[in-house]
Structures are given as structure tokens and as C-alpha cells.
Amino acid sequence: MSTADAEAGRAPSALRLLKANGPLRALFTARVVSYAGDSLSLVALMLHVANTTGQGLAVALLLLVGDFIPSLLGPVTGALSDRFDLRRVMIVCEMVQGGLMLAIALVLPPLPLLLALVGVRAIAGQVFQPASRSAIPAMVGERDLETANSSIGFGSNCAEAFGPLVAAALLPFIGVQGVLLADAGTFLLSAVVLLATKPMPPAGDPDAEHSGLLSSAKVGLGYILRTRAVRIISLGFCAVVLFNGVDDVALVLLAKDTLRSGDSSVGLLLGAVGIGLLVGYALLTRYSGKLALPTLLVAGFLVSSAGNFLTGLAWSVAAAFTVQAVRGLGIAGMDVASSTMLQRMVPAGMLGRVFGNLYGAIGVAAAVSYVAGGLLLDATNAPVTLMIAGGGGVLFTLVVAFSLPKALRKYTNAETGPNQRNRPETVGLPEVPAMHTHTGPGSSVELDSPVEHPPQSSREHREDPQSDRPPPS
């Protein structure tokens, strides 16, 4: 951290943090490279399946095995992160994905085998996701969590946004197989880059390692159900996705049927959220440390839901584009706020399971939203569907807004109380820093890091004197 930043008592900028922190820079690079490869291969596989089968159902099955099926394994994939060294988990996941993509590129198997290989690759990606989120608190101090999460979110979404454009440019020259080989190369490059991170051994109870993987997954689910603040954050996120996930389908019909516009307008509307996401993450890398995280979370839920409601009232493509771009800001806010809050609240030995369950539940919620939203679209129209979706998200946002502050205060009191060590949530788990809340006239509950005591980590390498991250402020 620079002297000026340390004296001002604030987190360094994203560029300074990435420049000074080698392990975080390696994780950032690996995520960007890997996500760019994912975008390349998705375009190539969809084109390959569509051209070889000529069936829309085959393309839908490809998306289903790539997104929905791995989500069902969220509790188990998260348990792997808590059981093994995070660095090893991430490297193995990238190598497995690279090997499977290499096999797909070389053979281009028939549809049943292709779907099986894509499904296994997606499961490896599902394991990687909670592991990478759990690794961030082991790389940076608490004060830098918002900046780290925002930076990685910005880089990953940039890769996802520009990946299809790169695929479109490469396909005429190297074909489907060439693009798939390039994706395999990105996974292997990501694994090599992750070697620059330090070992991050499991932080859970050593006795728990002798229990089965399913038992560990069950413990993770129990922790979420017991811990009210974590439960509200997770359920609130899933509820917003459940209502609003249908917008991708509804926007197509809104542009073509309601606004009587062409295919280019469809692409414009679908890309608006991505633009808003990039702007949102860019802003959060600079200003997220100045915002109360619960406020940012609720604002993100509200903006992302109200955006769809207002899109249903849009009178032109330009109006719908503007609202959807603003909606992207909200999605960035809810992602950064939820990740940072969970990283601060959840013990390190349970963090992988919490993220695994959260992302798995989000995937299931999105799939249900596609199905239910599709039925609603057939029964009504795009504007009505968007208004119902956005209105439902707003209602659940209000529930979170009223219930989360009380849950956070209760959680903090339990953390700092005399019986903290005997609480069911923390039995057999390492100590974590207490989460401080501030309340006052006109202010919401705010999370921040302890001032008088440096953040404690149950990942041993965080206290390694050779670590190249900036000293805690």
C-alpha cells in the first residue's frame, strides 16, 4: 500500500493492489484468461451443434449441461474447496477443463458424448468458482476485499463480453476446432499462472477431514440454515435471480414484437447489461470501500429488479437500453457486496461450502426462471413479464432491506459476546475477526474491518513474512 493511502486510512486503488500483490495478480490473470476461453468455446460449440444437428433442442441441451446440471452439485463442489489446498484445487480444475476441451477439439465427438464431456468440464468449473472466491481473503487484508472482488469481477466480465467478438474474428480463419484448441490453451495457461500463488491449506477442523464429502456438504448446508444473516443474503440473491433471470428471453421478444425493431436491436438490448456491469465494476474498484456493504447489496437488488420493471414500460429501444445499462450497475453492486460480506462473516473453513451452495442455488434459480418465465411469456407478453419479474424482485428486496440489518446486529453481538466460542456456527472452526456494525441517525448497518487489531486469517500463508502483498493498514 502506498504511503499516501496508508496515511489516509483507505484501501489502495485496484491497479496499485494488483501491482503490489503477486498472488492476487495471478488469480486475476487466471480468471481473465479462463473466462475469455469459456466465451470462445461457447460460441464455437453452439455453432458446431447447430450446424451438425440442425436442432434447437440440441443447443438447449448443450446450455443445460453446461449451466444447470453442475449447479445441482453446488454443496459438494464447495466442500472440495474446504477440504483441500485451494491452490491445488484451482490448478487441478483448470488442467481438467483444459484436457477435456483438448479432447473435444481433437475428436469433435457425436452429440451424446459431447454433452457428457461438456458436463464434466462444467462440473470442474463449478468446483473452481467457490475455490477462487474463497482464495481472495487469503491473499488480501480485510480492508482490500471490496477492491479485490471488484477488480476480479471487472476483469472476468470484460473477458466474457469481448470473448464472443474474438471468437467471431477467429472462426473464419481457424474454424471451430481451432477456437476450441485456443480455449484448451487458455485453461492450461491459467493453471500455469496459478502456480504463482502460494499454498492455501484447508482451514477447517482436521477431524472433519476424515468424514465423507457428503457429510461435509451437509454441514455446509446446516451452517447456512443456522446463520440468519448468511441465509438472508443467499436467499435474497437467489430470489432476485429467480424473478429476473427471464429477462434474456423477454428482451428478445420486447425488441422484435413490442418495439417492432430488428435483430440489431436485440443484440443492443442484450449487450446493455454487460456494458453496465463493466462500468459498475470499474466504479466499485474505486469507490466500493466508501459504501456500506448492506446498503450496496440492497441497492444492487433494487436496481437490478426495478430495471426490469421499468424496461417493461419502455417506449423505445433507446429507453430500454438505458434502463438495462443502469440495471447492470446494480448487478455489479450485488455481486461485490454479497461476496465481500460473506468473505468477512463466514469462517475460512466453511467459506467454500457457502459459496458453492450460493452459486449452485443461483444456477438452479436461473433455470427455473427460464422455464417459468417462458410460460409466462407465452401466456402474456414481454412487457407484462418484465414488470412481473421486476416487481417480484423489488418485493423480495424490501424483505431483505427490513430483515438484514437486524440479522447483522444479532450476528455481531453473538460474535463479540462472551459465549462466542460455544456458538453452534463456530464449534470446530477457526476464529475469524468480529464483524463490526455501525448504526446511527440516517445511516444503515455498515460492515468494516477492525481498526485496532489486524485481520486474522486461518489460511497460514497470510502471515508469511515473505508475502508480497502490501502490509495491512
Side-chain angles (χ1 to χ4, degrees), residues 30-42:
R31 287 282 295 269
V32 170
V33 169
S34 184
Y35 272 62
D38 278 346
S39 298
L40 292 174
S41 64
L42 180 61

Side-chain angles (χ1 to χ4, degrees), residues 206-452:
D207 294 335
E209 296 181 8
H210 302 292
S211 63
L213 195 61
L214 292 179
S215 297
S216 295
K218 184 178 179 181
V219 172
L221 285 170
Y223 173 83
I224 295 175
L225 295 176
R226 282 196 312 269
T227 313
R228 187 167 179 239
V230 175
R231 186 172 68 248
I232 291 173
I233 294 171
S234 302
L235 291 179
F237 204 127
C238 292
V240 170
V241 172
L242 177 65
F243 278 98
N244 292 286
V246 69
D247 66 332
D248 287 342
V249 182
L251 288 174
V252 176
L253 298 181
L254 179 74
K256 296 181 73 68
D257 297 343
T258 304
L259 301 178
R260 305 293 180 183
S261 189
D263 292 341
S264 60
S265 297
V266 174
L268 194 65
L269 291 184
L270 292 176
V273 169
I275 294 173
L277 273 169
L278 295 181
V279 174
Y281 282 120
L283 291 173
L284 289 171
T285 59
R286 185 174 182 84
Y287 299 111
S288 59
K290 301 179 180 180
L291 302 173
L293 288 176
T295 301
L296 179 61
L297 180 71
V298 172
F301 288 167
L302 181 63
V303 171
S304 63
S305 299
N308 272 342
F309 183 88
L310 295 175
T311 301
L313 300 174
W315 60 90
S316 67
V317 172
F321 176 88
T322 302
V323 175
Q324 285 293 310
V326 173
R327 182 172 175 265
L329 301 176
I331 297 175
M334 58 192 265
D335 176 50
V336 171
S338 61
S339 295
T340 306
M341 291 175 72
L342 292 176
Q343 287 164 349
R344 285 182 175 159
M345 294 168 60
V346 178
M350 193 66 68
L351 194 55
R353 279 167 282 185
V354 169
F355 277 126
N357 281 292
L358 174 61
Y359 294 131
I362 289 173
V364 173
V368 173
S369 182
Y370 294 151
V371 175
L375 295 175
L376 183 59
L377 277 168
D378 290 339
T380 59
N381 54 45
V384 171
T385 299
L386 286 167
M387 286 189 287
I388 292 176
V394 169
L395 289 177
F396 269 89
T397 298
L398 294 177
V399 173
V400 173
F402 282 109
S403 60
L404 184 58
K406 181 179 179 180
L408 290 175
R409 285 192 293 268
K410 186 175 181 181
Y411 179 91
T412 304
N413 292 335
E415 283 286 314
T416 57
N419 297 322
Q420 188 267 341
R421 291 180 180 273
N422 297 322
R423 289 191 303 112
E425 296 95 319
T426 57
V427 171
L429 295 173
E431 284 190 50
V432 294
M435 179 187 64
H436 294 266
T437 60
H438 299 282
T439 56
S443 67
S444 60
V445 179
E446 178 177 0
L447 302 179
D448 67 355
S449 56
V451 176
E452 308 217 350

Side-chain angles (χ1 to χ4, degrees), residues 53-81:
T53 66
Q55 298 177 353
L57 178 60
V59 177
L61 287 175
L62 177 69
L63 297 176
L64 187 67
V65 299
D67 292 330
F68 176 63
I69 301 300
S71 299
L72 299 176
L73 301 177
V76 176
T77 58
L80 288 171
S81 298

Side-chain angles (χ1 to χ4, degrees), residues 44-45 48 52 102-111 113-114 117 176-178 180:
L45 286 174
H48 170 68
T52 55
L102 179 63
I104 292 173
L106 294 176
V107 179
L108 287 179
L111 183 63
L113 181 56
L114 175 65
L117 293 175
V176 169
Q177 282 187 301
L180 294 178

